[in-house]
Amino acid sequence: MADTATTASAAAAAAAASAANASTDAPPFQLGKPRFQQTSFYGRFRHFLDIIDPRTLFVTERRLREAVQLLEDYKHGTLRPGITNEQLWSAQKIKQAILHPDTNEKIFMPFRMSGYIPFGTPIVVGLLLPNQTLASTVFWQWLNQSHNACVNYANRNATKPSPASKFIQGYLGAVISAVSIAVGLNVLVQKANKFTPATRLLVQRFVPFPAVASANICNVVLMRYGELEEGIDVLDGDGNLVGSSKIAARHALLETALTRVVLPMPILVLPPIVMSMLEKTALLQARPRLLLPVQSLVCLAAFGLALPLAISLFPQMSEAAGEEQKVNETLCSGITDGERRAGEPAMVTGN
């Protein structure tokens, strides 16, 4: 009789859980897997919106512990009845946003992926300030690359430690290239006598883009040039390691570099265009003190839209040119300078 009661209770709990899950639109939960399909641009876009969601910055310590415990219960098959897929996806989102996947240590808030936009926007505003001096140009370019370097290190792949010299080399290369290009272009613009003051000011506003894009490419090459010589892991259709490939390395490096060029484009190109139009409005001409707040909002909007769009360009599994093979690229590295939190890029042979 007791066994019958226990069986009935378990069946009732399972039915309640099924009913709860049926009432939501959440897909079946998969531990450690993306919630949205990565085969479409929209799916990747939704996935990265979750990764950079700034609301996770306000998660309390208690809520984090609850999320971690919920996932542990799921992993060990001790999940209490009534837990929905939506609750499990939410718990995984919180854990992945706050804790490093390899060390399980909390990532410092400004260096989390969810903090990239709110903490990076002030730097973008500084990069786009009009009438930059030599000192301010150097400062903002240095601060931008320093912030990027800290984000890269905080989200590094800790399962395959890289020597500190590699990070330092990538950081110095990015800073030197960004500063030299920005200063050089500003000097050229200042010496261009054919430009009117208004045109010179407008052109100067676009200087940060080539400087940042060039620094990003320089950083990618310095951080990952070894992959071109050694290749990256090759997997078969079942995910088993079978060797390494230089073709996959070139493919991964090219797509990552392209992402680094696309990412700053709307962030550093759209705001100057929008602001050049808004500055002509009667409101801002009558209230010049509103220029900085308005520019900050424009930069925030551009940053928030550009980041998930840029890192969603390429699928995690993409066709290698001229090969019936696939390259596994975790293009969150489009932000994290090639240090992949989810593992190294890998080529998977086609079936």
Side-chain angles (χ1 to χ4, degrees):
M1 182 70 69
D3 290 341
T4 303
T6 301
T7 303
S9 176
S18 299
N21 279 322
S23 65
T24 68
D25 295 329
F29 179 72
Q30 292 180 288
L31 186 64
K33 301 292 184 181
R35 174 173 180 170
F36 302 98
Q37 291 292 331
Q38 300 298 287
T39 54
S40 69
F41 175 82
Y42 178 72
R44 296 191 297 273
F45 181 72
R46 290 290 304 274
H47 171 65
F48 285 115
L49 281 180
D50 271 355
I51 288 178
I52 65 172
D53 188 350
R55 291 177 297 179
T56 58
L57 295 174
F58 302 99
V59 171
T60 63
E61 191 70 29
R62 177 182 177 182
R63 180 70 183 94
L64 174 61
R65 289 196 301 268
E66 291 174 350
V68 172
Q69 186 59 52
L70 189 62
L71 295 176
E72 286 295 313
D73 292 344
Y74 176 87
K75 182 178 179 180
H76 295 102
T78 58
L79 201 62
R80 64 182 183 275
I83 298 299
T84 64
N85 286 317
E86 184 63 41
Q87 289 175 295
L88 290 169
W89 285 120
S90 177
Q92 180 162 274
K93 174 180 175 178
I94 290 172
K95 180 182 177 182
Q96 291 179 342
I98 300 175
L99 302 181
H100 193 287
D102 301 329
T103 65
N104 277 324
E105 295 178 355
K106 290 182 69 173
I107 301 174
F108 187 43
M109 189 179 293
F111 305 147
R112 297 174 191 170
M113 298 314 304
S114 55
Y116 198 68
I117 292 176
F119 289 97
T121 298
I123 299 175
V124 173
V125 174
L127 287 169
L128 296 175
L129 288 175
N131 300 315
Q132 294 266 15
T133 64
L134 176 62
S136 64
T137 298
V138 172
F139 171 76
W140 288 112
Q141 290 291 344
W142 165 79
L143 185 60
N144 180 51
Q145 296 304 326
S146 298
H147 177 246
N148 288 340
C150 290
V151 172
N152 299 338
Y153 186 78
N155 295 277
R156 68 194 182 281
N157 181 2
T159 61
K160 295 184 178 180
S162 297
S165 59
K166 178 175 284 189
F167 285 98
I168 295 173
Q169 185 182 43
Y171 169 65
L172 292 178
V175 170
I176 292 173
S177 59
V179 170
S180 59
I181 292 174
V183 171
L185 289 177
N186 272 324
V187 171
L188 289 176
V189 172
Q190 289 293 342
K191 292 183 176 180
N193 297 324
K194 294 182 179 180
F195 289 159
T196 64
T199 302
R200 184 179 291 111
L201 178 61
L202 180 62
V203 172
Q204 279 184 315
R205 285 182 167 180
F206 291 99
V207 166
F209 169 65
V212 171
S214 300
N216 289 347
I217 294 176
C218 180
N219 187 281
V220 170
V221 173
L222 290 174
M223 291 289 294
R224 300 179 62 176
Y225 71 89
E227 295 176 2
L228 296 176
E229 300 174 354
E230 302 172 5
I232 54 179
D233 290 347
V234 177
L235 310 177
D236 60 20
D238 297 322
N240 301 313
L241 180 65
V242 296
S244 62
S245 170
K246 295 181 181 180
I247 297 176
R250 289 197 297 269
H251 189 86
L253 187 61
L254 177 62
E255 289 194 354
T256 303
L258 181 58
T259 301
R260 303 296 182 80
V261 173
V262 173
L263 175 59
M265 187 179 296
I267 300 173
L268 299 176
V269 173
L270 284 180
I273 296 175
V274 174
M275 288 305 300
S276 66
M277 295 185 292
L278 292 180
E279 287 171 355
K280 298 176 182 178
T281 62
L283 175 65
L284 292 183
Q285 287 185 346
R287 298 175 176 83
R289 291 184 178 180
L290 293 178
L291 281 173
L292 186 58
V294 170
Q295 179 171 323
S296 301
L297 291 176
V298 171
C299 290
L300 179 61
F303 205 168
L305 179 64
L307 183 60
L309 284 176
I311 58 181
S312 302
L313 283 178
F314 301 108
Q316 292 179 318
M317 300 294 294
S318 60
E319 291 290 337
E323 301 279 341
E324 288 188 356
Q325 297 169 316
K326 296 179 181 179
V327 180
N328 178 7
E329 299 169 87
T330 305
L331 277 179
C332 187
S333 65
I335 310 171
T336 58
D337 286 326
E339 291 304 314
R340 287 139 323 261
R341 287 173 56 173
E344 296 294 317
M347 179 176 287
V348 184
T349 58
N351 294 327

